[in-house]
Amino acid sequence: MTKANCQEATITANYSATPSVPAGTEVIFRADNVRIGTAVVDGEDTATLRHSFDRAGEKNLTALVQERVVDGRTYPTAEASATLTVNDPAGQDTTTDLTYTRPDVEVEAEVLTGDLIRFIATVDAGDKAIEDGATVSFFDGDTFLGTAPVDPETGQAVFDHRFAERGEHQVRAVFNGQEQKNEDGVTTDVLEPSESDPVVLDVQAHEVVIEEPEPQDPEDPQDPQDPEDPTVPSPTPGTGSGSWDGSGSSGSSSSPNLLASIFGSLAALGLIPQSLLNLLGWNLS
């Protein structure tokens, strides 16, 4: 039997018989007395089994060919044993680089609060492939900003962010590593975590500019009754006037005799006092 130092091992057993190995001869493999699989002896008298171990450590392996009768010939039981040392998979070193773009403006433009910054982390795992589920976390100093998935095709994780506070921001990307498992759920490869150098951004505050209105000369208020203002019409004096007194003289066309007659009738009825008529100079008694 052969030995391997890994979690996924290829175990082989060599079996020979006289005059030859019967076709279909099967080898039973066990690890620590637990059956882990079977394999048929090939034309080169070798049986091969691939098996994944879910725990590291030493494994006591056995390969057993049971007694069988073929064409009247008895083939006796054959067994062999070996020790297999299973180690945790060696970690694959990785590197992470961080860049950024400005989707809305030129990269060289001043970074202002609220501007969209697109960070791109690129993870290199050497000759190992990154699988689905790998992630990169982004930090501003010690402040966690967020996490983005790694695209297995490009090895890149893209993260968009807007800074609310002005000042210097040192952003770094951390690849969180990855354990890769086979279909049996056994870890076969480990990608080690890695961290990028920081990208330094000097974020400035947006300036709010309030335009002051231009001062204007105050206009002198115009008196609408000012006769010097040609836009205000002047009143036209009347051409006639009139007055009357209690003696009955008047410049109007009203007749004092008619008024005296009316007031006399009212006095006769007692509706107005005689003293009022005397005051007006009308003595109608």
Side-chain angles (χ1 to χ4, degrees):
M1 296 182 63
T2 60
K3 298 183 291 184
N5 294 329
C6 57
Q7 283 194 319
E8 187 174 36
T10 300
I11 307 170
T12 60
N14 295 321
Y15 174 73
S16 61
T18 303
S20 62
V21 176
T25 299
E26 187 177 74
V27 178
I28 301 172
F29 293 91
R30 289 185 173 88
D32 296 332
N33 296 321
V34 176
R35 183 167 175 163
I36 59 175
T38 61
V40 175
V41 178
D42 59 20
E44 297 180 355
D45 298 340
T46 301
T48 303
L49 175 71
R50 290 183 60 83
H51 180 73
S52 297
F53 294 92
D54 57 2
R55 294 182 182 179
E58 287 192 352
K59 310 295 180 181
N60 294 316
L61 303 180
T62 59
L64 172 66
V65 177
Q66 294 179 326
E67 180 181 305
R68 60 186 305 202
V69 178
V70 178
D71 297 332
R73 181 184 293 273
T74 300
Y75 293 87
T77 299
E79 185 175 6
S81 63
T83 300
L84 174 66
T85 301
V86 177
N87 297 323
D88 289 324
Q92 171 66 43
D93 290 336
T94 65
T95 60
T96 301
D97 293 324
L98 180 63
T99 59
Y100 73 94
T101 62
R102 306 280 302 280
D104 298 336
V105 296
E106 296 293 336
V107 175
E108 294 78 10
E110 186 179 53
V111 180
L112 303 178
T113 54
D115 285 353
L116 176 63
I117 309 297
R118 177 162 295 165
F119 294 100
I120 303 173
T122 303
V123 181
D124 184 0
D127 59 352
K128 299 293 184 180
I130 299 175
E131 298 179 351
D132 287 330
T135 60
V136 171
S137 297
F138 295 83
F139 296 85
D140 178 8
D142 293 330
T143 302
F144 174 71
L145 299 179
T147 299
V150 179
D151 184 349
E153 296 295 329
T154 63
Q156 292 184 338
V158 179
F159 180 74
D160 289 346
H161 185 69
R162 299 177 189 269
F163 292 100
E165 298 181 356
R166 64 181 180 179
E168 184 179 274
H169 296 267
Q170 297 191 14
V171 180
R172 55 193 175 90
V174 177
F175 173 59
N176 296 311
Q178 185 179 48
E179 287 189 354
Q180 299 180 348
K181 303 179 183 295
N182 61 13
E183 61 276 6
D184 297 324
V186 176
T187 301
T188 56
D189 287 300
V190 175
L191 304 183
E192 297 291 346
S194 58
E195 180 177 334
S196 73
D197 292 331
V199 169
V200 180
L201 295 175
D202 186 14
V203 179
Q204 302 296 322
H206 273 284
E207 293 185 1
V208 179
V209 179
I210 301 177
E211 295 184 358
E212 296 289 344
E214 295 183 0
Q216 298 180 356
D217 295 333
E219 297 181 357
D220 294 333
Q222 296 291 336
D223 185 356
Q225 301 301 323
D226 188 351
E228 296 181 359
D229 186 357
T231 63
V232 179
S234 300
T236 302
T239 57
S241 63
S243 64
W244 65 277
D245 56 19
S247 62
S249 62
S250 172
S252 66
S253 61
S254 300
S255 172
N257 293 330
L258 178 60
L259 292 175
S261 176
I262 294 173
F263 275 89
S265 299
L266 294 175
L269 295 174
L271 298 177
I272 60 174
Q274 182 64 39
S275 59
L276 178 58
L277 297 179
N278 295 335
L279 180 62
L280 295 175
W282 292 338
N283 187 4
L284 303 178
S285 58

